[in-house]
Amino acid sequence: MRRRPAERLLLLGLAATLLISGCWDYRDIDNRALAIMIGIDRGEKKSHQVCVQIALPSKLKIARGGAGGGGGGERDKPYRVMCAEGAGVALALDDIRASLTQDLDTSHLKIVVVGAEMARAGLDQIDWVARNLQMMNTAFITVARGRSEEVVRAETESEEIPAFYLYHAYSGEFTRSRAVTPQHVWQVYYRDLMSGAHDPVLPAVTGRKYGLNFQGYGVFRGQRLAGWVDGLDAETLGMFLGRRISGTLQTSFPGQPEAVTGLFVNNGSVKRAVELREGQPVLRISMRLSGDMRGLRTGVAVLNTQIERKLEEGYARDAERRVRSLIRKLQEMGTDPLGFRERLRRLDPSHPAVTDEQIWLRMYAEAPLEVRAEVTMVTPGTKK
Amino acid sequence: MGRLGDQLASNLKLLRQALGDSDDVIVRKFLIGGRQRAALIFIEGLVDEQTIQRDILHRLMLEAIAQPQAGGQSPVRSVQALAERVVTAVHAKPLTQVRQMVEQVLAGQTVLLVDGLEQALLVKTQQREERGVQSPVSESVVRGPQEGFTENVQVNVALVRRRVKDPRLCVKHFIVGERSRTKVVVLYVRDLAPPEVVGEVTGRIERIRTAQVLETGMIEEMITGRRISPFPVARLTERPDKTAAALNGGRVAVLVEGSPGALLVPTVLLDMLIAADDYSHSPAVVVLMRLVRFLGVALVLFLPGLYISLAAYNPDALHIDSAMAIAASREGVPLPAVLEVVLMELMMEMLLEATVRLPTKVGSAVTVVGGLIIGRAAAEAKLISNAMVVIVAATTIGSYTQASYEAALALRLSKWLIIAGAAVFGLFGMFLAILLLLVYQNSITSFGVPYLAPFAPPIPRDLARDSLFRRSWWSVQHRSRTFGARDRRRAVGTGKNGPQDGDS
């Protein structure tokens, strides 16, 4: 019997479904080993050591019907860590693949941790990440204060899979910590690196105390880690880098040096600029901050307009001091994450500091800093 | 077959032969007024015997004696005289052609033959056992009329007429089927329905050459020329109110004897997603109801294919938490995702089929057993994943939300195309299949009306009038352009409808 075109098409479709299903890329999700976090260090025997945190979904509480506990043994963890060394990241990963019965799937890789030693040697050593276009958009990159393996192996109380702790933090889902700037997917870092507008900054993390900890920033000079910014300096740097101004300022209550008050900064603007005076660059920072007072450390005093103004002046001095401390540190390290050199280029493209790296480093280290801060106290700390 | 002669015996022989000499063909011989031989021919079971006894036999055998002109003293000279003076049945008319007599006897009428006359009297005695007007089975509504069509086409026409008391309502009768001689009725409003659509419908019905027509589906296929397309290009409705609304919108209705439904043509895809009580509820509520129905369409069409794509080809497109949940759910399941979907969807199709075929009480038991017990047991035994149970359940519920059973069937079939696309190429294949489906739907027309109208081609006024939402009745000034109604104005000469100043 002569078949009509529609019937032929139908038969062809049916045959295709049955016969060629799975000829391309078909791999069931349960046959994929989902790598969530990867740590890259210098290896002992080879140039790279790679540690991968692989999720074991069937051991998640949700898969076990919410049953918790289970003794916490290695076999009960909903993830496992596998490490291998290789002449490059891809080769080390191949080594890990060889030990797996499933296909190592990096499409859900969320965190790339670079060990401090590797970061000092230069991130150009791990261009494997940069070559993966998808990963560039989805993976957050962070730098370990020590070896990245410590971070990959560290446990957290709040998340079953430790990588999710960092992922949720960096994607801004649960933390407002000023040590975490939720924007450092690899692509952003790479964009900073390639643009030359300013040196890159990566959030730093350790795997020592209480599991995973955010600990300041690693600041880079080009591809290479130049040093760390910690504590209040990190908080101030976060104010420059974050998508919204946030931080705390302190000052003493007028007439009571022991009564320290805090201002929770939640709004404002921070501007930086460069001026040329007699051919020398002058760094200028102007800040307009506002926030709520968060109580007194000792005693309670009555506020009035005069006292409020004095408190605002005190907070402004603290802001200036903090900025000076940060910039001084950055000048010492010779890194420019705030993009002063780019501003100089816009001002005078032919300036020797723009064209010559060494001249810039020298001038930057000696450049005077002018800081002007204005602080407005929105509420005195009492709320309905 | 020819004409009757004047001899009763030969006429009876002729008719008996024409009627196939069946045992249920009854020939009742008697004498008119005790003198002139006559006979009634009818088919047992199709006639109302009380009418025959009361209006024919009793009148002719006993009362005709007292009426000289009608056979009392002299022989009957014409059946017309009998019809005028003796037979008291409502419908009675003379016939001469044997072929016409055979048709009428088979339709349940009675033929009276009188010796010496070359004419016969046809008396309407048709009676059939039938159910009364009941609620529509597949188009039940919460609010609105609860009347549905029956198997009697005359009752159905009457149900429509009660709602369209307009002298311009045209009712055209056709007899289709060489053996079944099924009555097909075409209804339309003369000054609303486009003449080309009316001409096309009646022309196609006249051109039907078939032995028998048993229900609307056969007529639908024959007048639409549909081949293997699952998408109905004639909207089947059980509701007289919906039929009346369609007629008022310039469409044509086709009723078939023996079928409790009307075919509305032309029709569009959007029509399948609109329920009768959408026009009884507030427009604000209708938005939600239609949104739910559209969501149901999306679930039926896309969910199984999406599951295959995301679980087997493109898990990177999932959020990490969802990827974990699906991976955990699939852990230990021996079947690949494609086979899991195909088997479960086939199981669900079997379940749906069983639910339709089985008696109501058993059917509900099958649903419970199949849906809950087997599904859960299969998931616990790790034959299928929990995610798959959710997907199959969502798909089935989605198909139940559809206003038209035919549309639900079409969706269920189209779903397999998308499953096939997803099984071969993942997300890419799925979108390719969707594109194919859209292109195909775009190529369909129903009596000249594009199937995807008013979306494609876009008819902005109709989209704003009645599509994903509907406007309030008082603000609807015009009929839909989609079906090409000749008189576009809905409210003629009444000015602007709606609340006036001061109305609350």
Side-chain angles (χ1 to χ4, degrees):
Chain A
M1 197 179 82
R2 195 178 157 80
R3 293 200 185 283
R4 285 175 291 194
E7 289 170 1
R8 277 189 207 157
L9 201 67
L10 203 69
L11 285 175
L12 192 70
L14 194 70
T17 310
L18 294 174
L19 299 176
I20 60 175
S21 168
C23 287
W24 300 269
D25 295 341
Y26 185 99
R27 188 164 293 277
D28 281 318
I29 193 167
D30 51 313
N31 289 325
R32 297 173 190 239
L34 299 176
I36 309 295
M37 177 154 67
I38 186 170
I40 304 167
D41 285 309
R42 276 197 173 283
E44 285 180 15
K45 295 174 184 167
K46 295 179 181 171
S47 61
H48 291 70
Q49 178 189 293
V50 173
C51 289
V52 185
Q53 194 176 92
I54 297 168
L56 302 173
S58 60
K59 292 188 177 173
L60 286 168
K61 278 180 193 165
I62 189 172
R64 289 178 290 156
E74 195 70 29
R75 296 181 70 86
D76 291 326
K77 287 180 185 171
Y79 66 93
R80 61 175 158 175
V81 175
M82 298 180 79
C83 296
E85 291 194 1
V89 177
L91 290 170
L93 283 174
D94 282 347
D95 209 35
I96 291 172
R97 273 195 188 93
S99 316
L100 286 166
T101 53
Q102 298 160 305
D103 186 33
L104 185 66
D105 186 321
T106 55
S107 64
H108 277 291
L109 191 68
K110 297 296 176 197
I111 304 289
V112 178
V113 191
V114 183
E117 200 182 338
M118 180 61 83
R120 280 194 199 94
L123 294 177
D124 48 348
Q125 309 268 321
I126 52 168
D127 65 336
W128 171 79
V129 184
R131 286 170 189 276
N132 188 322
L133 291 176
Q134 187 185 26
M135 206 182 296
M136 280 181 74
N137 284 307
T138 56
F140 290 92
I141 182 164
T142 187
V143 59
R145 297 293 289 249
R147 283 184 71 76
S148 70
E149 185 180 348
E150 284 175 5
V151 175
V152 176
R153 289 190 185 279
E155 294 179 17
T156 50
E157 286 291 322
S158 58
E159 291 284 341
E160 284 186 275
I161 298 177
F164 287 173
Y165 179 79
L166 295 178
Y167 170 62
H168 292 313
Y170 291 148
S171 59
E173 284 182 29
F174 75 77
T175 181
R176 292 180 71 188
S177 165
R178 282 165 299 282
V180 182
T181 46
Q183 60 176 357
H184 284 92
V185 289
W186 181 278
Q187 195 181 36
V188 175
Y189 165 78
Y190 203 68
R191 187 193 63 200
D192 292 351
L193 193 64
M194 301 315 283
S195 73
H198 52 83
D199 283 321
V201 173
L202 290 180
V205 66
T206 68
R208 294 166 192 160
K209 194 177 163 190
Y210 312 124
L212 288 168
N213 287 293
F214 303 104
Q215 199 173 332
Y217 292 97
V219 283
F220 286 69
R221 188 192 305 150
Q223 300 266 18
R224 285 168 179 70
L225 178 68
W228 308 100
V229 172
D230 290 305
L232 288 176
D233 287 338
E235 192 179 305
T236 311
L237 184 58
M239 218 181 274
F240 283 96
L241 301 176
R243 276 176 289 202
R244 59 190 288 265
I245 299 291
S246 175
T248 52
L249 296 172
Q250 289 185 349
T251 190
S252 296
F253 205 80
Q256 299 178 52
E258 73 285 359
V260 179
T261 72
L263 184 86
F264 181 74
V265 178
N266 51 27
N267 211 342
S269 63
V270 181
K271 291 181 180 169
R272 52 244 198 219
V274 174
E275 261 185 31
L276 280 172
R277 286 185 199 154
E278 297 169 0
Q280 296 296 312
V282 176
L283 313 181
R284 294 186 63 189
I285 304 280
S286 67
M287 311 169 84
R288 282 174 186 270
L289 306 174
S290 63
D292 305 322
M293 197 169 88
R294 284 291 168 89
L296 299 166
R297 197 168 288 172
T298 55
V300 178
V302 179
L303 289 176
N304 57 39
T305 312
Q306 201 178 359
I307 292 174
E308 280 183 15
R309 192 154 300 144
K310 285 191 174 174
L311 281 172
E312 286 173 346
E313 286 167 2
Y315 291 134
R317 280 195 299 278
D318 188 42
E320 283 179 27
R321 191 167 50 245
R322 298 255 300 262
V323 170
R324 285 184 185 284
S325 164
L326 171 70
I327 303 290
R328 195 180 309 120
K329 191 155 196 174
L330 296 176
Q331 286 174 311
E332 283 168 8
M333 286 190 282
T335 69
D336 179 26
L338 302 183
F340 289 114
R341 192 181 182 194
E342 171 62 14
R343 283 166 177 75
L344 179 62
R345 185 190 66 76
R346 283 185 221 157
L347 195 68
D348 181 5
S350 60
H351 194 279
V354 174
T355 51
D356 190 321
E357 175 82 15
Q358 292 306 316
I359 295 174
W360 161 253
L361 284 175
R362 185 172 48 77
M363 285 188 166
Y364 178 58
E366 294 166 356
L369 175 67
E370 290 178 1
V371 183
R372 205 179 72 187
E374 280 179 34
V375 175
T376 308
M377 197 164 69
V378 180
T379 62
T382 51
K383 287 187 176 177
K384 283 183 183 175
Chain B
M1 288 182 194
R3 299 168 67 90
L4 291 179
D6 60 356
Q7 295 297 312
L8 178 65
S10 59
N11 286 344
L12 280 174
K13 192 177 172 187
L14 194 66
L15 267 173
R16 266 186 172 284
Q17 278 177 348
L19 285 165
D21 210 17
S22 299
D23 290 342
D24 61 345
V25 177
I26 307 295
V27 177
R28 168 73 163 89
K29 294 177 182 171
F30 61 98
L31 294 176
I32 298 175
R35 271 189 263 160
Q36 193 173 4
R37 283 183 298 146
L40 290 174
I41 300 182
F42 56 89
I43 293 179
E44 192 178 21
L46 293 185
V47 296
D48 179 10
E49 291 187 5
Q50 230 180 355
T51 306
I52 294 174
Q53 190 270 325
R54 187 187 62 227
D55 298 341
I56 307 174
L57 288 175
H58 185 266
R59 298 284 299 161
L60 289 171
M61 290 172 75
L62 302 177
E63 296 181 20
I65 299 168
Q67 297 190 24
Q69 292 92 342
Q73 301 301 318
S74 56
V76 176
R77 293 198 177 85
S78 80
V79 288
Q80 186 65 37
L82 285 178
E84 285 170 1
R85 296 168 190 279
V86 185
V87 175
T88 54
V90 177
H91 296 281
K93 66 173 183 181
L95 285 181
T96 53
Q97 294 291 332
V98 176
R99 183 188 179 86
Q100 286 177 313
M101 287 173 212
V102 169
E103 269 180 21
Q104 295 300 329
V105 169
L106 290 172
Q109 320 297 13
T110 299
V111 167
L112 169 65
L113 297 170
V114 182
D115 192 28
L117 298 184
E118 291 182 349
Q119 276 190 321
L121 186 69
L122 177 77
V123 186
K124 187 170 182 183
T125 54
Q126 185 186 30
Q127 177 191 273
R128 48 193 284 183
E129 292 301 322
E130 58 194 27
R131 62 188 178 99
V133 175
Q134 293 170 346
S135 298
V137 179
S138 63
E139 284 181 288
S140 55
V141 293
V142 177
R143 188 175 164 180
Q146 299 293 336
E147 280 185 331
F149 284 130
T150 72
E151 282 76 9
N152 187 330
V153 73
Q154 282 150 329
V155 172
N156 294 346
V157 172
L159 285 171
V160 176
R161 267 215 186 272
R162 270 182 221 158
R163 289 166 173 83
V164 189
K165 297 184 187 79
D166 186 343
R168 289 162 290 193
L169 174 67
C170 289
V171 180
K172 299 282 180 200
H173 289 194
F174 299 86
I175 299 293
V176 180
E178 284 168 21
R179 291 183 187 280
S180 63
R181 312 302 294 165
T182 308
K183 187 190 271 186
V184 175
V185 180
V186 174
L187 289 94
Y188 60 93
V189 180
R190 193 181 299 122
D191 62 338
L192 293 179
E196 58 276 14
V197 174
V198 175
E200 193 65 33
V201 173
T202 52
R204 288 188 195 183
I205 291 174
E206 279 166 354
R207 285 196 295 274
I208 293 175
R209 293 286 174 269
T210 184
Q212 65 173 16
V213 171
L214 298 177
E215 61 96 37
T216 42
M218 295 174 77
I219 291 288
E220 183 189 349
E221 273 186 37
M222 287 175 186
I223 64 172
T224 57
R226 193 147 59 103
R227 287 165 69 187
I228 58 167
S229 166
F231 297 100
V233 285
R235 172 78 158 102
L236 181 68
T237 181
E238 285 182 82
R239 304 187 61 84
D241 55 328
K242 193 160 187 167
T243 309
L247 293 173
N248 189 37
R251 293 158 79 183
V252 177
V254 180
L255 299 166
V256 179
E257 185 184 8
S259 273
L263 291 171
L264 307 179
V265 291
T267 194
V268 292
L269 185 65
L270 181 66
D271 211 24
M272 308 293 162
L273 302 170
I274 294 176
D277 52 356
D278 280 5
Y279 300 100
S280 306
H281 293 292
S282 143
V285 177
V286 171
V287 173
L288 176 68
M289 288 158 70
R290 290 194 182 169
L291 207 64
V292 166
R293 255 174 256 141
F294 281 110
L295 186 68
V297 172
L299 286 181
V300 177
L301 281 179
F302 307 142
L303 206 55
L306 203 60
Y307 175 74
I308 293 174
S309 304
L310 295 178
Y313 284 96
N314 312 92
D316 47 312
L318 284 167
H319 187 269
I320 180 69
D321 294 332
S322 312
M324 290 290 164
I326 292 178
S329 161
R330 277 202 46 82
E331 193 90 22
V333 175
L335 301 174
V338 172
L339 217 54
E340 198 187 2
V341 168
V342 170
L343 286 181
M344 279 309 288
E345 288 292 340
L346 277 178
M347 285 284 286
M348 198 42 78
E349 292 293 336
M350 285 162 65
L351 200 67
L352 289 172
E353 191 61 16
T355 315
V356 174
R357 303 285 155 238
L358 286 170
T360 318
K361 287 177 185 171
V362 188
S364 59
V366 167
T367 316
V368 173
V369 172
L372 297 177
I373 301 175
I374 295 179
R376 190 171 168 77
E380 278 179 7
K382 278 288 176 191
L383 292 173
I384 55 165
S385 62
N386 284 321
M388 191 63 237
V389 177
V390 176
I391 284 163
V392 169
T395 310
T396 310
I397 292 168
S399 72
Y400 282 148
T401 59
Q402 299 315 304
S404 152
Y405 184 67
E406 284 76 27
L409 287 175
L411 283 178
R412 274 160 57 189
L413 194 67
S414 308
K415 164 185 76 184
W416 289 100
L417 177 71
I418 294 173
I419 288 176
V424 179
F425 294 118
L427 277 179
F428 174 71
M430 185 179 149
F431 288 113
L432 206 65
I434 293 170
L435 197 66
L436 208 67
L437 206 63
L438 274 175
V439 168
Y440 175 65
Q441 286 179 340
N442 206 28
S443 73
I444 304 174
T445 56
S446 169
F447 291 86
V449 175
Y451 200 50
L452 292 184
F455 297 106
I459 305 173
R461 186 174 276 187
D462 283 7
L463 281 172
R465 179 184 177 276
D466 190 7
S467 53
L468 300 180
F469 53 88
R470 74 165 182 86
R471 290 172 68 175
S472 303
W473 281 114
W474 59 264
S475 68
V476 176
Q477 298 288 319
H478 299 277
R479 290 189 169 82
S480 164
R481 283 167 180 258
T482 304
F483 301 113
R486 291 162 72 193
D487 181 3
R488 293 262 163 78
R489 289 167 303 166
R490 178 171 282 274
V492 182
T494 58
K496 187 173 164 55
N497 295 317
Q500 305 297 314
D501 289 345
D503 289 357
S504 58

